[in-house]
């Protein structure tokens, strides 16, 4: 591994003879030993998201059930940015591409906070929870946010088992855009339920979305039922047709390459707590896909993928049960970086 890797683990496997295993871990370049980072971070921090600042390998943000933390020295020390938590957990972070002091924080209960001064002060945005939300077992979580790089006031939020909401004015107001997912669930192959009796559940179980500057106004999204695309700012949606390329269609993550806005990576698996995962790449805005995780075995749900900001060939991904894989040559060869025993429920990865 030539670059430094950070991962976030969300499940605290602790006992009388076992240290708490959740938190932020770092693997330094050309080493094999992971280190749990603790300077400024709570010992019980269940990490759901880590985001790096493009162009600054030393600046990262980590969101958890106890707060939002920032490092400017590559993880050696961390500062609490003091977002109002009120028994909520942070699941997503969004950094503004041209305004470095503007950050959006997505939480459960469909809550989003925004700062325009780097975290000195925070404003809770007037988000809405869609009427079609399914709340059996856990509150609605804001699992991913994305903005249009060409029109950064256009913000989209993927909600777990609640569809999608959008803002066209920088978060000042929000619209429910979930109705189209309910409509699509009327198709027999897209009807699915696990925690309710509502066949729209699978389509509403949104996990990630993204927008590329190669095609402003177009949103790519993944959910329990597959990969979907909207070409009219989330008004209407259609299937990617990922099933033509992959037997695994449960989507957990999708990102564009920071080096080529027409290239996408998608993390696919068999289910939320499955036994197989795969990493696919598209070089044509999702029209066709190729599997690139060769000669490795991903044995649980593939949760997250990251492309290094400085090197397009450096790609890393992490699976739920603690597997971390990386390629330094664009997918020709892969290496595994085993995490310490007991580190599981990996939900975030960043390479710097």
């Amino acid at each position: 591994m030539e670059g430094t890797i950070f991962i976030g683990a969300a499940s605290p496997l602790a006992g009388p003879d076992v240290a708490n295993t959740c938190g932020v871990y770092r693997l330094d370049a050309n080493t094999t030993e992971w280190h749990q980072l603790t300077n400024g971070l709570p010992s019980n921090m269940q990490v759901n998201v880590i985001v790096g600042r493009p162009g600054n390998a030393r600046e990262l943000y980590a969101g958890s059930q106890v707060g939002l933390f920032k490092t400017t020295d590559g993880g050696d020390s961390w500062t609490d940015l003091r977002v109002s938590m009120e028994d909520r957990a942070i699941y997503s972070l969004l950094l503004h591409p041209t305004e470095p002091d503007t950050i959006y924080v997505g939480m459960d209960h469909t809550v989003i906070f925004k700062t325009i001064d780097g975290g000195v002060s925070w404003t809770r945005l007037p988000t809405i929870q869609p009427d079609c939300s399914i709340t059996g077992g856990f509150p609605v979580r804001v699992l991913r946010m994305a903005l249009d790089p060409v029109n950064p006031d256009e913000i989209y939020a993927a909600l777990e088992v609640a569809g999608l909401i959008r803002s066209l004015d920088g978060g000042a107001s929000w619209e429910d855009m979930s109705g189209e997912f309910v409509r699509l669930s009327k198709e027999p192959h897209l009807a699915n339920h696990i925690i309710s009796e509502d066949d729209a559940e699978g389509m509403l179980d949104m996990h990630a979305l993204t927008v590329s500057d190669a095609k402003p106004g177009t949103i790519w999204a993944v959910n329990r039922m597959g990969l979907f695309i909207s070409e009219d700012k989330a008004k209407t949606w259609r299937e990617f047709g990922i099933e033509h390329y992959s037997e695994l269609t449960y989507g957990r993550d999708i990102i564009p390459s920071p080096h080529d806005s027409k290239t996408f990576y998608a993390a696919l698996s068999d289910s939320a707590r499955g036994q197989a995962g795969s990493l696919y790449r598209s070089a044509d805005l999702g029209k066709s896909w190729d599997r690139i995780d060769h000669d490795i075995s991903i044995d649980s749900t593939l949760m997250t993928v990251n492309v290094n900001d400085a090197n397009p060939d450096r790609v890393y991904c992490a699976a739920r049960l603690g597997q971390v894989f990386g390629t330094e040559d664009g997918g020709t060869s892969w290496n595994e970086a085993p995490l310490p025993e007991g580190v599981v429920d990996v939900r975030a990865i960043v390479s710097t």
Side-chain angles (χ1 to χ4, degrees):
M1 300 288 183
E2 297 179 10
T4 300
I5 313 300
F6 296 83
I7 68 97
S11 287
L13 295 183
D17 300 316
V18 182
N20 197 320
T21 57
C22 64
V24 179
Y25 289 78
R26 182 179 67 195
L27 178 67
D28 292 322
N30 299 313
T31 65
T32 59
E33 183 178 357
W34 290 89
H35 295 279
Q36 187 176 24
L37 304 181
T38 59
N39 187 8
L41 299 178
S43 61
N44 64 336
M45 183 176 172
Q46 300 172 29
V47 180
N48 295 310
V49 57
I50 301 175
V51 174
R53 172 72 67 183
N56 184 350
R58 307 283 287 172
E59 182 176 330
L60 299 98
Y61 300 79
S64 70
Q65 94 289 7
V66 291
L68 174 64
F69 298 83
K70 176 183 178 180
T71 179
T72 57
D73 55 16
D76 290 339
S77 63
W78 297 78
T79 302
D80 187 347
L81 293 186
R82 301 193 179 280
V83 182
S84 176
M85 298 302 292
E86 298 179 1
D87 294 322
R88 292 183 295 264
I90 295 171
Y91 285 90
S92 56
L93 299 171
L94 177 62
L95 307 184
H96 196 286
T98 59
E99 299 174 8
D101 288 333
T102 297
I103 305 169
Y104 298 86
V105 176
M107 300 178 170
D108 50 17
H109 299 285
T110 326
V111 171
I112 299 176
F113 276 87
K114 178 182 181 180
T115 180
I116 59 173
D117 53 20
V120 176
S121 61
W122 294 89
T123 300
R124 180 171 172 172
L125 301 181
T127 52
I128 56 175
Q129 183 163 300
D131 292 337
C132 59
S133 301
I134 296 171
T135 56
F138 52 83
V140 173
R141 301 161 177 165
V142 183
L143 282 193
R144 184 66 58 87
M145 294 178 288
L147 55 74
D148 191 323
V150 177
N151 302 292
D153 281 341
E154 296 181 6
I155 305 167
Y156 303 86
L159 309 179
E160 191 169 24
V161 204
L164 183 146
I165 56 176
R166 76 173 185 186
S167 173
L168 301 180
D169 52 18
S173 63
W174 294 81
E175 302 172 81
D176 176 7
M177 308 303 292
S178 301
E180 180 74 355
F181 296 111
V182 175
R183 185 190 68 79
L184 285 170
S185 72
K186 306 302 181 183
E187 298 287 336
H189 69 291
L190 296 178
N192 174 270
H193 66 265
I194 298 173
I195 62 173
S196 73
E197 298 300 320
D198 191 337
D199 279 343
E201 179 190 315
M203 285 300 299
L204 294 171
D205 192 12
M206 304 299 294
H207 296 143
L209 51 77
T210 193
V211 186
S212 169
D213 59 11
K215 206 171 183 182
T218 298
I219 303 97
W220 290 261
V222 297
N223 64 16
R224 187 191 302 174
M225 307 310 294
L227 281 66
F228 298 84
I229 183 171
S230 171
E231 297 176 297
D232 53 12
K233 301 182 181 182
K235 292 179 183 178
T236 61
W237 293 83
R238 60 179 173 82
E239 293 182 77
F240 269 170
I242 191 62
E243 68 276 5
H244 299 306
Y245 302 94
S246 172
E247 294 181 355
L248 306 179
T249 59
Y250 173 93
R252 193 72 203 192
D253 197 7
I254 186 168
I255 62 167
S257 169
H259 307 276
D260 179 1
S261 55
K262 293 182 179 180
T263 297
F264 284 78
Y265 292 82
L268 303 176
S269 301
D270 55 352
S271 65
R273 296 189 178 274
Q275 299 178 338
S278 57
L279 182 63
Y280 275 75
R281 179 171 59 200
S282 171
D284 54 13
L285 292 169
K287 294 177 183 178
S288 62
W289 295 85
D290 294 298
R291 185 168 183 173
I292 64 169
D293 54 311
H294 307 297
D295 302 321
I296 58 175
S297 178
I298 301 175
D299 301 326
S300 63
T301 304
L302 191 63
M303 298 293 290
T304 180
V305 57
N306 176 260
V307 180
N308 184 266
D309 185 52
N311 182 353
D313 291 330
R314 183 176 297 155
V315 183
Y316 292 90
C317 57
R320 183 184 287 276
L321 295 185
Q323 290 178 292
V324 175
F325 297 99
T327 176
E328 301 284 346
D329 52 21
T332 300
S333 61
W334 290 82
N335 297 296
E336 185 171 5
L339 286 163
E341 184 177 357
V343 181
V344 296
D345 203 5
V346 179
R347 300 188 183 182
I349 190 167
V350 171
S351 66
T352 62

